PDB file of all heavy atoms in Angstrom:
ATOM      1  N   VAL O 465     160.392  69.389  69.566  1.00  0.00           N
ATOM      2  CA  VAL O 465     159.382  69.990  68.702  1.00  0.00           C
ATOM      3  C   VAL O 465     158.716  71.180  69.496  1.00  0.00           C
ATOM      4  O   VAL O 465     158.554  72.270  68.989  1.00  0.00           O
ATOM      5  CB  VAL O 465     158.267  68.973  68.323  1.00  0.00           C
ATOM      6  CG1 VAL O 465     157.102  69.713  67.665  1.00  0.00           C
ATOM      7  CG2 VAL O 465     158.840  67.975  67.306  1.00  0.00           C
ATOM      8  N   TYR O 466     158.337  70.909  70.730  1.00  0.00           N
ATOM      9  CA  TYR O 466     157.708  71.931  71.524  1.00  0.00           C
ATOM     10  C   TYR O 466     158.678  73.049  71.920  1.00  0.00           C
ATOM     11  O   TYR O 466     158.304  74.240  72.039  1.00  0.00           O
ATOM     12  CB  TYR O 466     157.009  71.294  72.774  1.00  0.00           C
ATOM     13  CG  TYR O 466     155.716  70.610  72.416  1.00  0.00           C
ATOM     14  CD1 TYR O 466     155.733  69.424  71.638  1.00  0.00           C
ATOM     15  CD2 TYR O 466     154.464  71.205  72.721  1.00  0.00           C
ATOM     16  CE1 TYR O 466     154.515  68.826  71.309  1.00  0.00           C
ATOM     17  CE2 TYR O 466     153.282  70.586  72.361  1.00  0.00           C
ATOM     18  CZ  TYR O 466     153.313  69.420  71.649  1.00  0.00           C
ATOM     19  OH  TYR O 466     152.109  68.824  71.245  1.00  0.00           O
ATOM     20  N   SER O 467     159.910  72.704  72.177  1.00  0.00           N
ATOM     21  CA  SER O 467     160.912  73.686  72.458  1.00  0.00           C
ATOM     22  C   SER O 467     161.140  74.600  71.232  1.00  0.00           C
ATOM     23  O   SER O 467     161.416  75.773  71.358  1.00  0.00           O
ATOM     24  CB  SER O 467     162.245  73.066  72.864  1.00  0.00           C
ATOM     25  OG  SER O 467     162.143  72.412  74.099  1.00  0.00           O
ATOM     26  N   THR O 468     160.991  74.044  70.029  1.00  0.00           N
ATOM     27  CA  THR O 468     161.136  74.816  68.806  1.00  0.00           C
ATOM     28  C   THR O 468     160.094  75.874  68.708  1.00  0.00           C
ATOM     29  O   THR O 468     160.360  77.065  68.431  1.00  0.00           O
ATOM     30  CB  THR O 468     161.102  73.888  67.595  1.00  0.00           C
ATOM     31  OG1 THR O 468     162.195  72.998  67.607  1.00  0.00           O
ATOM     32  CG2 THR O 468     161.173  74.686  66.279  1.00  0.00           C
ATOM     33  N   ILE O 469     158.807  75.532  69.008  1.00  0.00           N
ATOM     34  CA  ILE O 469     157.729  76.507  68.970  1.00  0.00           C
ATOM     35  C   ILE O 469     157.928  77.486  70.086  1.00  0.00           C
ATOM     36  O   ILE O 469     157.702  78.726  69.910  1.00  0.00           O
ATOM     37  CB  ILE O 469     156.370  75.787  69.163  1.00  0.00           C
ATOM     38  CG1 ILE O 469     156.169  74.800  67.957  1.00  0.00           C
ATOM     39  CG2 ILE O 469     155.223  76.770  69.196  1.00  0.00           C
ATOM     40  CD1 ILE O 469     156.273  75.430  66.575  1.00  0.00           C
ATOM     41  N   ALA O 470     158.345  77.031  71.287  1.00  0.00           N
ATOM     42  CA  ALA O 470     158.589  77.949  72.399  1.00  0.00           C
ATOM     43  C   ALA O 470     159.694  78.913  72.098  1.00  0.00           C
ATOM     44  O   ALA O 470     159.722  80.055  72.617  1.00  0.00           O
ATOM     45  CB  ALA O 470     158.917  77.155  73.650  1.00  0.00           C
ATOM     46  N   ASN O 471     160.631  78.530  71.228  1.00  0.00           N
ATOM     47  CA  ASN O 471     161.811  79.372  70.936  1.00  0.00           C
ATOM     48  C   ASN O 471     161.514  80.212  69.698  1.00  0.00           C
ATOM     49  O   ASN O 471     162.471  80.575  69.025  1.00  0.00           O
ATOM     50  CB  ASN O 471     163.057  78.491  70.709  1.00  0.00           C
ATOM     51  CG  ASN O 471     164.333  79.251  70.692  1.00  0.00           C
ATOM     52  OD1 ASN O 471     164.510  80.214  71.478  1.00  0.00           O
ATOM     53  ND2 ASN O 471     165.273  78.901  69.813  1.00  0.00           N
ATOM     54  N   GLY O 472     160.290  80.469  69.400  1.00  0.00           N
ATOM     55  CA  GLY O 472     159.958  81.388  68.268  1.00  0.00           C
ATOM     56  C   GLY O 472     160.090  80.754  66.893  1.00  0.00           C
ATOM     57  O   GLY O 472     160.270  81.435  65.921  1.00  0.00           O
ATOM     58  N   GLY O 473     160.039  79.419  66.862  1.00  0.00           N
ATOM     59  CA  GLY O 473     160.121  78.692  65.582  1.00  0.00           C
ATOM     60  C   GLY O 473     161.524  78.277  65.176  1.00  0.00           C
ATOM     61  O   GLY O 473     161.691  77.704  64.104  1.00  0.00           O
ATOM     62  N   VAL O 474     162.503  78.504  66.035  1.00  0.00           N
ATOM     63  CA  VAL O 474     163.917  78.119  65.756  1.00  0.00           C
ATOM     64  C   VAL O 474     164.213  76.872  66.550  1.00  0.00           C
ATOM     65  O   VAL O 474     164.160  76.835  67.751  1.00  0.00           O
ATOM     66  CB  VAL O 474     164.898  79.210  66.112  1.00  0.00           C
ATOM     67  CG1 VAL O 474     166.333  78.774  65.862  1.00  0.00           C
ATOM     68  CG2 VAL O 474     164.575  80.490  65.285  1.00  0.00           C
ATOM     69  N   ARG O 475     164.619  75.844  65.804  1.00  0.00           N
ATOM     70  CA  ARG O 475     165.038  74.579  66.455  1.00  0.00           C
ATOM     71  C   ARG O 475     166.498  74.600  66.826  1.00  0.00           C
ATOM     72  O   ARG O 475     167.353  74.781  65.971  1.00  0.00           O
ATOM     73  CB  ARG O 475     164.742  73.359  65.582  1.00  0.00           C
ATOM     74  CG  ARG O 475     165.084  72.067  66.210  1.00  0.00           C
ATOM     75  CD  ARG O 475     164.822  70.831  65.292  1.00  0.00           C
ATOM     76  NE  ARG O 475     165.068  69.594  66.035  1.00  0.00           N
ATOM     77  CZ  ARG O 475     166.217  68.980  66.095  1.00  0.00           C
ATOM     78  NH1 ARG O 475     167.303  69.527  65.492  1.00  0.00           N
ATOM     79  NH2 ARG O 475     166.348  67.882  66.751  1.00  0.00           N
ATOM     80  N   VAL O 476     166.770  74.419  68.121  1.00  0.00           N
ATOM     81  CA  VAL O 476     168.180  74.347  68.599  1.00  0.00           C
ATOM     82  C   VAL O 476     168.397  72.874  68.933  1.00  0.00           C
ATOM     83  O   VAL O 476     167.655  72.245  69.693  1.00  0.00           O
ATOM     84  CB  VAL O 476     168.371  75.221  69.837  1.00  0.00           C
ATOM     85  CG1 VAL O 476     169.813  75.085  70.336  1.00  0.00           C
ATOM     86  CG2 VAL O 476     168.016  76.668  69.551  1.00  0.00           C
ATOM     87  N   ALA O 477     169.457  72.333  68.334  1.00  0.00           N
ATOM     88  CA  ALA O 477     169.759  70.932  68.572  1.00  0.00           C
ATOM     89  C   ALA O 477     169.958  70.649  70.074  1.00  0.00           C
ATOM     90  O   ALA O 477     170.634  71.428  70.744  1.00  0.00           O
ATOM     91  CB  ALA O 477     170.983  70.499  67.811  1.00  0.00           C
ATOM     92  N   PRO O 478     169.407  69.590  70.590  1.00  0.00           N
ATOM     93  CA  PRO O 478     169.519  69.268  72.013  1.00  0.00           C
ATOM     94  C   PRO O 478     170.978  69.002  72.388  1.00  0.00           C
ATOM     95  O   PRO O 478     171.763  68.450  71.579  1.00  0.00           O
ATOM     96  CB  PRO O 478     168.686  67.982  72.222  1.00  0.00           C
ATOM     97  CG  PRO O 478     167.787  67.937  71.033  1.00  0.00           C
ATOM     98  CD  PRO O 478     168.541  68.562  69.867  1.00  0.00           C
ATOM     99  N   THR O 479     171.379  69.357  73.616  1.00  0.00           N
ATOM    100  CA  THR O 479     172.714  69.069  74.112  1.00  0.00           C
ATOM    101  C   THR O 479     172.639  68.484  75.523  1.00  0.00           C
ATOM    102  O   THR O 479     171.690  68.833  76.289  1.00  0.00           O
ATOM    103  CB  THR O 479     173.622  70.319  74.163  1.00  0.00           C
ATOM    104  OG1 THR O 479     172.934  71.359  74.918  1.00  0.00           O
ATOM    105  CG2 THR O 479     173.872  70.807  72.789  1.00  0.00           C
ATOM    106  N   LEU O 480     173.534  67.625  75.850  1.00  0.00           N
ATOM    107  CA  LEU O 480     173.569  66.966  77.153  1.00  0.00           C
ATOM    108  C   LEU O 480     174.894  67.184  77.846  1.00  0.00           C
ATOM    109  O   LEU O 480     174.970  67.056  79.091  1.00  0.00           O
ATOM    110  CB  LEU O 480     173.305  65.502  76.932  1.00  0.00           C
ATOM    111  CG  LEU O 480     172.939  64.620  78.104  1.00  0.00           C
ATOM    112  CD1 LEU O 480     171.735  65.182  78.910  1.00  0.00           C
ATOM    113  CD2 LEU O 480     172.565  63.207  77.662  1.00  0.00           C
ATOM    114  N   VAL O 481     175.915  67.494  77.119  1.00  0.00           N
ATOM    115  CA  VAL O 481     177.269  67.762  77.704  1.00  0.00           C
ATOM    116  C   VAL O 481     177.598  69.225  77.481  1.00  0.00           C
ATOM    117  O   VAL O 481     177.652  69.694  76.370  1.00  0.00           O
ATOM    118  CB  VAL O 481     178.344  66.859  77.035  1.00  0.00           C
ATOM    119  CG1 VAL O 481     179.730  67.169  77.572  1.00  0.00           C
ATOM    120  CG2 VAL O 481     178.003  65.390  77.246  1.00  0.00           C
ATOM    121  N   GLU O 482     177.888  69.895  78.570  1.00  0.00           N
ATOM    122  CA  GLU O 482     178.185  71.307  78.541  1.00  0.00           C
ATOM    123  C   GLU O 482     179.637  71.611  78.231  1.00  0.00           C
ATOM    124  O   GLU O 482     179.953  72.607  77.584  1.00  0.00           O
ATOM    125  CB  GLU O 482     177.770  72.002  79.849  1.00  0.00           C
ATOM    126  CG  GLU O 482     177.673  73.460  79.810  1.00  0.00           C
ATOM    127  CD  GLU O 482     176.924  74.053  81.016  1.00  0.00           C
ATOM    128  OE1 GLU O 482     177.542  74.268  82.035  1.00  0.00           O
ATOM    129  OE2 GLU O 482     175.683  74.212  80.923  1.00  0.00           O
ATOM    130  N   GLY O 483     180.530  70.724  78.644  1.00  0.00           N
ATOM    131  CA  GLY O 483     181.887  70.924  78.386  1.00  0.00           C
ATOM    132  C   GLY O 483     182.760  69.859  79.063  1.00  0.00           C
ATOM    133  O   GLY O 483     182.253  68.976  79.768  1.00  0.00           O
ATOM    134  N   THR O 484     184.066  69.930  78.839  1.00  0.00           N
ATOM    135  CA  THR O 484     184.998  68.960  79.411  1.00  0.00           C
ATOM    136  C   THR O 484     186.136  69.669  80.115  1.00  0.00           C
ATOM    137  O   THR O 484     186.572  70.773  79.703  1.00  0.00           O
ATOM    138  CB  THR O 484     185.526  67.999  78.356  1.00  0.00           C
ATOM    139  OG1 THR O 484     186.273  68.803  77.377  1.00  0.00           O
ATOM    140  CG2 THR O 484     184.464  67.241  77.661  1.00  0.00           C
ATOM    141  N   THR O 485     186.680  69.021  81.132  1.00  0.00           N
ATOM    142  CA  THR O 485     187.879  69.507  81.839  1.00  0.00           C
ATOM    143  C   THR O 485     188.967  68.522  81.673  1.00  0.00           C
ATOM    144  O   THR O 485     188.874  67.352  82.085  1.00  0.00           O
ATOM    145  CB  THR O 485     187.614  69.757  83.328  1.00  0.00           C
ATOM    146  OG1 THR O 485     186.548  70.709  83.431  1.00  0.00           O
ATOM    147  CG2 THR O 485     188.861  70.298  84.028  1.00  0.00           C
ATOM    148  N   GLY O 486     190.079  68.902  80.982  1.00  0.00           N
ATOM    149  CA  GLY O 486     191.165  68.000  80.733  1.00  0.00           C
ATOM    150  C   GLY O 486     192.018  67.730  81.909  1.00  0.00           C
ATOM    151  O   GLY O 486     191.881  68.340  82.955  1.00  0.00           O
ATOM    152  N   PRO O 487     192.983  66.782  81.798  1.00  0.00           N
ATOM    153  CA  PRO O 487     193.844  66.492  82.936  1.00  0.00           C
ATOM    154  C   PRO O 487     194.752  67.654  83.371  1.00  0.00           C
ATOM    155  O   PRO O 487     195.235  67.652  84.477  1.00  0.00           O
ATOM    156  CB  PRO O 487     194.745  65.341  82.371  1.00  0.00           C
ATOM    157  CG  PRO O 487     194.585  65.381  80.910  1.00  0.00           C
ATOM    158  CD  PRO O 487     193.253  65.953  80.599  1.00  0.00           C
TER     159      PRO O 487
END
Side-chain angles (χ1 to χ4, degrees):
V465 169
Y466 282 72
S467 291
T468 298
I469 300 304
N471 195 39
V474 177
R475 181 180 185 274
V476 180
T479 54
L480 196 51
V481 177
E482 197 165 85
T484 60
T485 301

